[in-house]
Amino acid sequence: MLKTKKTALAHFFRLPLYFLIALLCIIGSPVLAKVPGSINSSSQLPINSLTSLTVAADPDLLLQQGKVLYNTGNFTKAVEVLQQAVQAYQQRGESLTLAATLSNLSLAYQQLGAWNQAQQAITESLNLLKAQDKNQNSQIFAQSLDIQGRLQLAMGQADMALATWQQTEGIYKQADNKSGVVRSQINQAQAWRTQGFYPRAVKTLEQVSQTLKSQPDSIEKTVGLRSLGDALLVLGDLEKSHKALQESLKIARNLKSSADIGASLFSLGNNARKQHQKPQAIAYYQQAVEVSASPLTKVQAQLNHLGLLIEDQQWAKVQALLPLIESQLKQLPLSRASIYAQVNYSQSLAKVKSGVLQASTQSYYSGFSTKDSAVLLAKAIQQSHSLRDKRAEAYALKSLGSLYEETRQWSEAQGLTRQGLALAQSSNAPEITYTLEWQLGRLLWAQKDINGAIAAYDAAVDTLKSLRRDLVVNKDVVNQDVQFNFRDSVEPVYRQSVELLLQSQQGKPDEKILEKARERIEALQLAELDDFFREACLQGQKVALDQVVDQDNSKAAILYPIILPDELQVIVKIPKQRLQSYSTKISQTEVEKLLVELRKNLVNPTATKTVETQSQEVYNWLLKPIESQLQKSGVDTLVFVLDGPLRNLPMAALYDGQQYLVEKYAIALSVGLQLLDPKPLVKQQLRALTAGLTQPPPGFLKFAPLLAIKSEFEGITKAGVSTTSLLDGDFKKKNLESEIGAASFNIVHLATHGQFSSRLEDTFILDFDGQINVKDFDTLFRSQGKTIVELLVLSACQTATGDSRAALGLAGAAVRAGARSTIASLWQIDDESTAMFVSAFYRELKSGKITKAEAVHRAQLKLLKHPNYRAPSFWSAYVLIGNWL
């Protein structure tokens, strides 16, 4: 079948690169359990002689060969050989070696997704070991428990895995096995993180760091530091990750271990790549290729290097690198890793072809066709089939199916996709399964099978939900691709699904479909936050926005704009009415272009006329079709759940041709369709902790002084709010945390510079000592996991310049702090006008008769009416996120 189809692939011109080319090891390779005694390495048999082995052969040699096969990624053959070793040890009655072999067999089964067989093997292993003298065989017992923990985590039993690895840590400590302790602690960090306990994960890794410091230089120490660095990279602590990896490299060089030098350089390249330091990343990858003795490490580094060159369209350098990668690929032994490398390389070849054609470059590529990609993929499918590696075969089938999708050969593409899907599902590989379900949805949609396409997209979204934590844990190459390519590999699934749902209405609004579309975009926004923090966001008890809106006396309406490729759709909820929608036919490119221009003009006080013209166009998209209904319904508050670059704009500045939106409505933003315990603040006594910096800390001189902070704080006090203040030298993270934990404040007001960005590393506020990253907000503003702040005010922050998704950081700050409501500024504004806004806001709030949204509304109107602050750049920057009551 594959041969007859290859010729049709010569006409391919482009191939979407769904997967980032990287094979980052997070917690080190799974450790095989050792057996008593030593096996002479000279007795190791070559892999190609395995067919002659029988049960009568030396089981020690079988076990050794099984390990070789496992380490080269030939898991199916490793299972066969280890099964033979098990039988041989059973015949000999050697319980201890049998137990260790069974645990290794379990590990090989896990790599193949054969969970029942893996469970049976590890259970038998542990039962045999429990019958032995635990004191004599404690480390073998610990290694088997380690493998059991891996199985438990893979099967979603993170709490059981944690308990297992805590047990192994205790055993290793008694045996004074420091490398075993480190391995157990790194595993525990992964288990904590999988359950959503980020602070515990970080604390555990800090213990690892301390343990490693006390160890003498050794191969175990360099591997432990590298595993620590890789784990910290996934957790987002790039600075500490880099430090651990540099220390790992230093020790590896002292020990002159070329394999470990290459591995550490490769990890450093991944760290630099994550920090968008492309020249440094390329330099590390090139060094890894030069020094590493491992063909696999060389290929991994070259593939990552190639990916960076393709991103920057450096076609001459790409041309020079391609033959080197081809040469290295030929040296790889047959394994899952080599198959993944071939698949990723084939995708890069197609990406190169597409990029070169778009650039109209005539060179080496003139004779290149995507048929070459198809040949590589066909080979990868055959190899994975010979290995009986369902996961690898599913991955290769998906990629070949996408090639046929590109040339609109629907039936062939669909057949390959369904084959891959069956394999992925049977091997419990959800990170591959969802991509195949998505691909099937696209194919059915293209063939006008709308119901089938919806079902396929629904399945893909459901699989993504099950992967919500795994998306950022990186247990496998494919998981890692999802993490690094969220915008390419996850976001389109949701957006295309919504587009398909809305099209299926065929011009007849269907409330169930509208509700489903809304929920799907909300799921995307939650997934986006998960990706931002590299962990599943903490969830609390929530109430649906619609339920709040439909309450008696509610005067709030919800607007839910959704940006699609060829239209902007708006779904609206008005109190006591059914959902309704309307749309504007306009391309996503046009929408985003106008929004970027408007955002730039909004910060310029002299560009008011241009702002009014541009913001009126946005008003016409979002509100004009519904304005008469809003007036008739008596709505006085608009709650926006914004999508994409709309989140960078203040809705208050929209203009109807005569008035700004803020002159007609109070306005709030919501991160999703639900609110945390929506209750008004007005019934409570207001107690505020205020903290601020009049001068930026050393090293942050690009931020201007905030000389009006004292008058800002005085305005809060004069409004009748009970305050405790931390100013300048007293405003430190530890003091802030101590005050919040010791006293009962329902408001925390921070008058300090800060920045919101689409990158976690660049989202922070400043204190006297430097910066407090947004990832620390959960420990700063929560006590024992419970929300303790009703209102968080960030009065001098700004979104990162030039970052079209910077408001993601603002949403992240609001969610991370756990405050029911957050007020922040989208850009830095005159600090005198800030003081005026803040004073007016707290006076209105203290009156006890209005909502937080209305208090913000009135404070903005006061600035708008001031002769010095009429321009939108002064009053529109403030946004209220969360509970508007």
Side-chain angles (χ1 to χ4, degrees), residues 62-79:
L62 287 168
L63 178 60
Q64 179 70 10
Q65 200 60 56
K67 290 184 177 183
V68 171
L69 288 162
Y70 180 93
N71 288 328
T72 57
N74 193 337
F75 305 119
T76 301
K77 203 67 181 177
V79 164

Side-chain angles (χ1 to χ4, degrees), residues 663 860-870 875:
E663 297 180 78
Q860 287 178 313
L861 287 178
K862 180 168 184 178
L863 283 186
L864 187 151
K865 294 173 182 177
H866 193 285
N868 296 337
Y869 305 126
R870 294 175 62 89
W875 50 262

Side-chain angles (χ1 to χ4, degrees), residues 491 494-496 498 502 517-518 520-526 528 559-565 567-570 588 591-592 595 618 622 640-649 651 669-672 804-805 807-808:
E491 184 173 341
Y494 290 94
R495 290 202 180 279
Q496 292 169 14
V498 169
L502 294 172
R518 259 195 343 168
R520 192 138 294 175
I521 285 292
E522 180 191 36
L524 167 61
Q525 294 183 342
L526 292 175
E528 198 173 22
L559 289 95
Y560 214 116
I562 301 171
I563 301 172
L564 298 173
E567 67 177 357
L568 193 151
Q569 181 89 209
V570 183
Q588 182 175 346
V591 170
E592 292 180 349
L595 296 181
V618 181
L622 302 189
F640 289 89
V641 187
L642 296 174
D643 182 32
L646 282 168
R647 287 179 289 191
N648 281 350
L649 289 180
M651 294 295 102
L669 306 179
S670 179
V671 175
S804 64
R805 296 161 68 92
L808 177 63

Side-chain angles (χ1 to χ4, degrees), residues 684-726:
Q684 305 176 39
Q685 180 183 352
L686 301 185
R687 298 174 302 280
L689 173 64
T690 59
L693 286 181
T694 57
Q695 298 290 336
F700 295 89
L701 299 180
K702 69 174 184 177
F703 294 103
L706 298 172
L707 303 180
I709 282 181
K710 292 182 180 179
S711 62
E712 182 176 332
F713 287 0
E714 288 172 2
I716 299 173
T717 304
K718 288 179 180 178
V721 179
S722 173
T723 61
T724 299
S725 184
L726 298 173

